[in-house]
Amino acid sequence: MKFGHFDDARKEYVITRPDTPYPWINYLGNEDFFSLISNTSGGYCFYKDARMLRLTRYRYNNVPTDAGGRYFYINDGGTVWNPGWAPAKTQLDFYECRHGLGYSIFNAGKDGLQAIQTSFVPIGANCEVHRLTIKNTAVATKDFQVFSFVEFCLWNAYDDMTNFQRNFNIGEVEISGSAIYHKSEYRERRNHYAVFGVNAPIDGFDMDRESFLGLYNGFDRPDAVFSGKARNSVASGWAPVGSHCIHVTLAPGEEKSLIFVLGYCENPEDQKWESPNVINKAPAQKLLSAFATDAQVDAALDRLQAYWDGLLSNYHLESKDEKLNRMVNIWNQYQCMVTFNMSRSASYFESGIGRGMGFRDSAQDLLGFVHLIPSRARTRILDISATQMADGSAYHQYQPLTKRGNLEVGSGFNDDSLWLIFGVAAYIKETGDWSILQEQVPFENVEATAVSLLEHLKRSFDHVLNHLGPHKLPLIGRADWNDCLNLNCFSETPGESFQTCANFESGIAESVFIAGLFVAIGPAYAEIFRRSGFAEEAKRALREVRNMTAAILKDGWDGEWFLRAYDAFGDKIGSRECGEGKLFIEPQGFCVMAGVGVDTGLAESALDSVHKYLDTQYGIVLNWPSYTSYQLNLGEISSYPPGYKENGGIFCHNNPWISIAETVIGRGDQAFSVYRKTCPAYTEEISEIHRTEPYVYAQMIAGCDATRHGEAKNSWLTGTAAWSFYNVSQFILGIRPQFDGLEIDPCIPAAFGSFTVERRFRGSTYVIEVENPSGRQKGVRSITLDGTPVAGNILPVCGDGQRHAVHVCMG
């Protein structure tokens, strides 16, 4: 069942039913101010940090769902409705929500009134803009009221939801003209406030939640709205809100626009007040005046569209598969931007309260983002490397506001350090910027410890070599990529964190996955050092790669597939000898991506095992068989019911590893089959099963052992976005940046046909036409650049700012 459709020409997903299987959201903002907005105008916003500087309150996992947002109520002769349907949920005459790139448009009508709500975060501004355009489509004059509504968060979102004995006493607000100001805690340690204004005179206001809603009412039936009269309430303690009441009269055919701005403002410490206890409103007035007219709003929307058109022109595909085109050209790249901005911190599944930016997550997110804005990717690399520890290990996450590492989810995830190398290599291959390696970067943000980024990479590489186990495979530490495979945690206490409890450290538990990752990253690491003038380090690195490959083949192969790990007692995990959890996806993908066993047929055997035992109609499950009872020696993984999350769930993040591995051995049909099973555009027809948005990837889909096989969870903020784009753009379509140019190496289905990719790369644009007259899945017979044959399959760096025609013939 479908709940909408793609509008590729406008780069929008159009939702035509408000009762989607789960709230389908969009992200607004690309710089410092961010908003989440659902298809019913639910959601929240924040400045830089979703925990520390939250502007509006949201109620996660509440009943009814999606409670809290920016709401516009229309009271038309006693009939109350919202352009986004919720929260009043009045039956509308028509409804449509268009989620676009950085904006959402709600178009609804009731009883001869049409309301269009256009919501976005402008480029260069720290605010949401909501333009509400109302038109009278009836034959008689309409006299009605509009009530706006937001509920302010008391800044620290964690404290806001826990510290009620204090928070019910600190709410403070002001009103001046048509602007409402939230200034809780401004009198003490804060120099910032929120403003919620409208570009029209108002007929009333409310700033106290109880006065506006009524003590026992929900958002669906606020007293002020249904009575048709604002209370002019001023919050004092308790819960501050912002609501404007505006009376509107429209003749038949007449329309009126109201522009609401919800923004974040700061003052210098010595300029906080304009008079005793009255905040300095100058920055707010400047912000409101920037979006006071329709012309200003239209210009800001044009700038936003131009911004995204420019970014998406860096990689553009034309093929006969329209679903593939829309994912590659629009939605996958858009999700990569959002995921880069948010890491795993703020979504409808990640509250923005319990997690910061992930070290490993951010490094992997670079893979799908670096071609969009390389300068921001560079900054991100330096930020995450500055949280690294001197021994090469890493904080598992850091806070976006302070950019300092934290231990809320622990440390000691022994794959973390290698991802820094992976991300830096991707950045240099994309940009050719070798100067980044000489940047002086501290450890743990202590400036006195600063060394070159190149030295950080060496510490990362050596951290693995300094932590090898009995089989000369890397120690897993707290966990590796699978945070729920905790082989050194023996927890029998309900509620105890598997990631932070430290009741055991065996020095024995090893990870074959980290070994495969090490082998995959090693050649790029060696080449970086060779080109940086450290030939001996490059030779050493390649020697260690060979040693690790030998260790995998000796003690990491199980006969038909690669082992997953050895536990704290030296017993095998992911082996045919195991009763459950015989086969895991991670080492199959990464070991084959690294080339281990490719020349001997072991790689093909491993991937055949994946398809035989792990593959389902909705994607490849993480492990088989699922664990049916809690295994103390495995940690969190077996605490999940069979078929969910890491216990037999379809973890979409590492499905691309199998797809890439298939391209390594040249099986384009299988590579594309794996790709499309988790690709949202191909699951749109089963939205009632899949449930999450059909335009962005989810982290997890329930596996075949789950009751709800095929149901997705945790959409938007997932490494699946970057890995899927990396897979389809660089390995299936095969346009792959290398240190010396663009490698052309497609691996496509036999029936895929010809395609064209327009790719900006290091100052030039390459228009790459790929023909496949003989239906080959892999292999390039010839390449020409502007009509001149190219030796090999790497396009040289032209760097001249011009367009270049490339013709590729597979064969």
Side-chain angles (χ1 to χ4, degrees):
M1 181 189 300
K2 294 172 64 174
F3 291 78
H5 61 271
F6 287 95
D7 185 339
D8 295 335
R10 292 181 51 159
K11 300 183 179 69
E12 295 173 341
Y13 191 82
V14 186
I15 300 167
T16 54
R17 286 182 53 173
D19 57 337
T20 49
Y22 194 79
W24 287 357
I25 74 166
N26 194 13
Y27 280 81
L28 315 179
N30 301 300
E31 299 162 314
D32 293 328
F33 191 98
F34 300 100
S35 301
L36 291 75
I37 190 166
S38 74
N39 59 296
T40 60
S41 202
Y44 58 97
C45 61
F46 59 92
Y47 176 74
K48 288 189 176 180
D49 190 309
R51 174 171 174 171
M52 301 305 296
L53 292 174
R54 183 82 65 98
L55 270 73
T56 57
R57 185 176 284 161
Y58 185 76
R59 290 163 174 78
Y60 294 90
N61 195 29
N62 212 328
V63 179
T65 192
D66 201 18
R70 59 293 280 163
Y71 296 137
F72 300 96
Y73 300 88
I74 297 172
N75 185 334
D76 178 19
T79 299
V80 175
W81 58 282
N82 304 89
W85 181 62
K89 293 186 288 186
T90 302
Q91 181 67 45
L92 300 173
D93 295 337
F94 60 90
Y95 160 91
E96 179 183 87
C97 169
R98 289 180 170 265
H99 282 326
L101 306 185
Y103 66 89
S104 291
I105 301 173
F106 305 84
N107 186 356
K110 181 69 176 175
D111 297 340
L113 280 180
Q114 179 187 17
I116 300 175
Q117 174 190 333
T118 302
S119 301
F120 68 105
V121 170
I123 299 294
N126 295 323
C127 67
E128 294 178 346
V129 174
H130 305 279
R131 179 168 61 186
L132 185 66
T133 302
I134 308 175
K135 183 175 183 178
N136 181 1
T137 61
V139 295
T141 297
K142 283 280 190 180
D143 186 50
F144 58 94
Q145 296 157 309
V146 173
F147 291 83
S148 66
F149 177 80
V150 297
E151 182 180 19
F152 294 112
C153 180
L154 301 177
W155 299 114
N156 182 330
Y158 179 79
D159 188 77
D160 179 79
M161 63 183 287
T162 57
N163 194 5
F164 303 119
Q165 62 84 24
R166 180 175 188 266
N167 293 341
F168 284 156
N169 295 280
I170 67 173
E172 287 191 278
V173 292
E174 286 185 29
I175 186 165
S176 178
S178 297
I180 293 167
Y181 297 87
H182 173 227
K183 61 176 186 178
S184 295
E185 294 191 327
Y186 188 78
R187 68 170 60 246
E188 46 161 322
R189 292 159 291 179
R190 298 185 183 275
N191 68 331
H192 55 84
Y193 57 84
V195 60
F196 185 38
V198 62
N199 69 334
I202 61 176
D203 297 288
F205 61 87
D206 276 295
M207 296 186 286
D208 174 71
R209 186 182 70 195
E210 183 178 330
S211 299
F212 177 78
L213 291 179
L215 179 59
Y216 292 102
N217 289 349
F219 298 130
D220 60 327
R221 194 171 178 84
D223 276 350
V225 175
F226 276 81
S227 69
K229 182 176 178 59
R231 307 306 197 226
N232 293 340
S233 60
V234 177
S236 181
W238 296 103
V241 302
S243 175
H244 308 89
C245 174
I246 303 170
H247 290 273
V248 181
T249 300
L250 294 179
E254 186 181 3
E255 69 177 30
K256 179 180 180 61
S257 70
L258 300 168
I259 301 169
F260 298 86
V261 176
L262 172 63
Y264 171 91
C265 300
E266 285 185 0
N267 280 316
E269 195 66 33
D270 61 349
Q271 299 175 34
K272 287 178 64 173
W273 307 100
E274 63 182 47
S275 61
N277 205 34
V278 177
I279 59 177
N280 178 1
K281 301 177 180 64
Q285 292 164 351
K286 180 179 179 182
L287 181 66
L288 296 176
S289 66
F291 306 102
T293 68
D294 285 314
Q296 290 173 312
V297 171
D298 288 338
L301 284 166
D302 288 343
R303 284 193 296 272
L304 183 63
Q305 181 177 339
Y307 175 82
W308 275 106
D309 287 347
L311 290 181
L312 296 183
S313 65
N314 289 330
Y315 195 111
H316 184 84
L317 166 70
E318 290 294 337
S319 77
K320 64 181 182 181
D321 187 336
E322 68 171 13
K323 294 180 180 179
L324 180 65
N325 293 345
R326 70 171 56 114
M327 289 308 302
V328 170
N329 297 336
I330 305 170
W331 293 101
N332 198 172
Q333 294 191 70
Y334 181 50
Q335 187 180 3
C336 284
M337 166 70 96
V338 171
T339 305
F340 176 86
N341 286 334
M342 300 289 105
S343 187
R344 310 297 177 266
S345 64
S347 73
Y348 269 28
F349 297 88
E350 302 281 7
S351 67
I353 295 172
R355 299 181 66 180
M357 307 285 280
F359 186 99
R360 171 207 300 151
D361 298 331
S362 294
Q364 290 178 86
D365 291 342
L366 292 166
L367 300 178
F369 176 82
V370 63
H371 72 290
L372 292 172
I373 312 178
S375 61
R376 288 191 62 195
R378 190 184 204 273
T379 300
R380 178 63 54 80
I381 287 170
L382 299 177
D383 284 347
I384 61 176
S385 59
T387 69
Q388 189 179 24
M389 301 176 189
D391 67 352
S393 62
Y395 286 97
H396 198 51
Q397 66 177 32
Y398 67 97
Q399 292 305 124
L401 191 62
T402 65
K403 298 183 180 180
R404 292 184 175 274
N406 69 67
L407 293 173
E408 289 194 15
V409 295
S411 185
F413 298 78
N414 279 358
D415 67 313
D416 273 351
S417 57
L418 290 177
W419 293 112
L420 180 62
I421 302 173
F422 207 109
V424 170
Y427 170 79
I428 294 175
K429 288 177 180 180
E430 178 67 34
T431 64
D433 175 19
W434 292 84
S435 70
I436 191 174
L437 298 172
Q438 303 311 314
E439 290 283 352
Q440 297 297 298
V441 184
F443 293 106
E444 300 188 66
N445 296 102
V446 179
E447 290 300 327
T449 66
V451 297
S452 70
L453 179 62
L454 191 68
E455 176 62 22
H456 277 262
L457 301 188
K458 185 176 185 301
R459 304 273 182 107
S460 295
F461 192 76
D462 286 347
H463 184 264
V464 173
L465 298 175
N466 293 335
H467 295 83
L468 299 179
H471 301 94
K472 303 302 180 184
L473 296 167
L475 293 175
I476 196 170
R478 176 71 55 203
D480 56 19
W481 176 89
N482 187 338
D483 290 343
C484 297
L485 189 64
N486 314 113
L487 303 183
N488 292 304
C489 172
F490 296 87
S491 177
E492 296 181 289
T493 304
E496 183 176 43
S497 169
F498 290 94
Q499 278 72 52
T500 58
C501 98
N503 57 14
F504 196 74
E505 183 55 62
S506 66
I508 293 176
E510 298 165 293
S511 169
V512 177
F513 160 74
I514 297 179
L517 176 61
F518 181 88
V519 173
I521 289 173
Y525 172 86
E527 188 64 10
I528 287 171
F529 272 82
R530 185 186 72 79
R531 296 187 184 213
S532 299
F534 298 93
E536 289 305 313
E537 176 61 18
K539 291 177 182 178
R540 179 186 79 101
L542 293 176
R543 184 168 61 251
E544 295 295 352
V545 167
R546 291 192 294 271
N547 292 341
M548 191 68 74
T549 302
I552 294 172
L553 293 173
K554 180 177 182 294
D555 292 306
W557 180 253
D558 198 55
E560 296 179 72
W561 55 76
F562 294 99
L563 286 173
R564 178 62 176 90
Y566 287 90
D567 69 12
F569 306 101
D571 295 327
K572 295 176 180 178
I573 304 296
S575 167
R576 56 189 170 178
E577 300 173 12
C578 300
E580 295 176 333
K582 296 174 181 288
L583 173 61
F584 283 73
I585 190 174
E586 301 99 320
Q588 320 315 320
F590 247 96
C591 287
V592 177
M593 285 167 62
V596 179
V598 170
D599 57 347
T600 61
L602 299 186
E604 185 173 347
S605 173
L607 295 179
D608 287 345
S609 296
V610 167
H611 293 297
K612 182 177 180 180
Y613 298 109
L614 301 182
D615 206 1
T616 79
Q617 62 179 318
Y618 301 122
I620 299 170
V621 299
L622 188 143
N623 61 287
W624 165 87
S626 301
Y627 295 102
T628 58
S629 61
Y630 180 57
Q631 307 293 313
L632 186 66
N633 62 315
L634 300 181
E636 188 173 4
I637 184 171
S638 63
S639 70
Y640 290 104
Y644 291 102
K645 284 279 278 181
E646 283 84 348
N647 187 18
I650 299 164
F651 230 83
C652 303
H653 185 142
N654 50 27
N655 272 238
W657 300 352
I658 299 300
S659 184
I660 294 171
E662 290 288 2
T663 71
V664 170
I665 64 173
R667 301 199 301 199
D669 284 323
Q670 289 92 328
F672 195 75
S673 175
V674 172
Y675 167 79
R676 63 177 290 159
K677 283 185 178 181
T678 59
C679 182
Y682 295 93
T683 64
E684 184 189 16
E685 301 286 348
I686 58 165
S687 288
E688 79 282 6
I689 297 172
H690 191 261
R691 294 194 68 189
T692 59
E693 297 92 340
Y695 42 92
V696 292
Y697 286 93
Q699 177 207 64
M700 194 279 291
I701 298 171
C704 53
D705 293 331
T707 301
R708 297 182 174 182
H709 182 34
E711 180 185 69
K713 291 188 179 78
N714 203 359
S715 57
W716 278 99
L717 302 188
T718 165
T720 310
W723 274 105
S724 294
F725 188 75
Y726 183 66
N727 170 34
V728 70
S729 65
Q730 297 196 25
F731 293 91
I732 294 176
L733 299 175
I735 315 299
R736 188 158 58 244
Q738 298 289 12
F739 290 121
D740 293 320
L742 271 180
E743 182 178 10
I744 310 299
D745 186 25
C747 187
I748 57 177
F752 189 79
S754 60
F755 65 92
T756 300
V757 170
E758 186 169 315
R759 177 67 153 90
R760 288 184 185 169
F761 181 69
R762 299 193 198 174
S764 298
T765 300
Y766 298 81
V767 183
I768 304 164
E769 298 182 7
V770 179
E771 293 185 351
N772 190 14
S774 55
R776 292 289 297 273
Q777 295 184 50
K778 190 178 177 72
V780 171
R781 185 169 66 196
S782 65
I783 300 177
T784 62
L785 174 63
D786 296 328
T788 301
V790 173
N793 69 334
I794 295 183
L795 299 175
V797 178
C798 296
D800 55 6
Q802 303 299 310
R803 292 173 64 86
H804 297 274
V806 180
H807 184 266
V808 179
C809 185
M810 295 181 66

